[in-house]
Amino acid sequence: MEPVRYQHRIGEIDLPVLHVSGWYDDEQIGTPANFAAMTAAGRAGQRLLMGPWGHRVNSSRTIGDVDFGPEALIDLDRAILSFLDEHVRGAAPRPAPPGADLRHGRRRMA
């Protein structure tokens, strides 16, 4: 059976999306690729939230023997609610919760 794919139809999709994944997710490549494609297609309301997590996003601060510390776990519910408030209710954007890019010791949400 052929897998269902949608990437070839990204140009037809015009809605805000909160793209969430972990740097160590074995399927992570699709999340930033989808974010980049939708941003390149001029789609407004795209947000990318990545963190030091595996496929079970935001469920552990460790990967193997590496402990990313307590700041590795974020208030993901707050991030989702903030995104929905902005794009469904029309509320002003709130600052992102401490987020997820720890590659350079900094955290951010794109």
Side-chain angles (χ1 to χ4, degrees):
M1 178 175 193
E2 182 67 24
V4 177
R5 293 193 169 94
Y6 56 87
Q7 285 82 3
H8 66 285
R9 299 184 69 182
I10 280 187
E12 301 171 38
I13 302 168
D14 191 8
L15 63 137
V17 176
L18 177 60
H19 306 263
V20 180
S21 188
W23 290 117
Y24 303 99
D25 182 349
D26 56 349
E27 297 182 24
Q28 168 263 27
I29 193 167
T31 303
N34 291 339
F35 171 78
M38 291 191 75
T39 301
R43 302 305 182 233
Q46 304 305 303
R47 298 288 184 274
L48 176 62
L49 179 59
M50 302 284 295
W53 316 304
H55 191 68
R56 295 185 61 212
V57 169
N58 200 45
S59 62
S60 176
R61 63 186 234 182
T62 61
I63 299 288
D65 293 335
V66 179
D67 185 340
F68 291 95
E71 293 183 339
L73 298 178
I74 64 167
D75 187 348
L76 186 56
D77 289 341
R78 177 175 171 232
I80 293 168
L81 289 174
S82 177
F83 180 83
L84 291 172
D85 282 347
E86 180 182 350
H87 295 286
V88 175
R89 294 182 173 178
R94 290 186 283 181
D101 186 343
L102 298 180
R103 292 173 299 163
H104 303 291
R106 293 184 301 270
R107 300 179 320 155
R108 67 174 183 252
M109 186 161 112

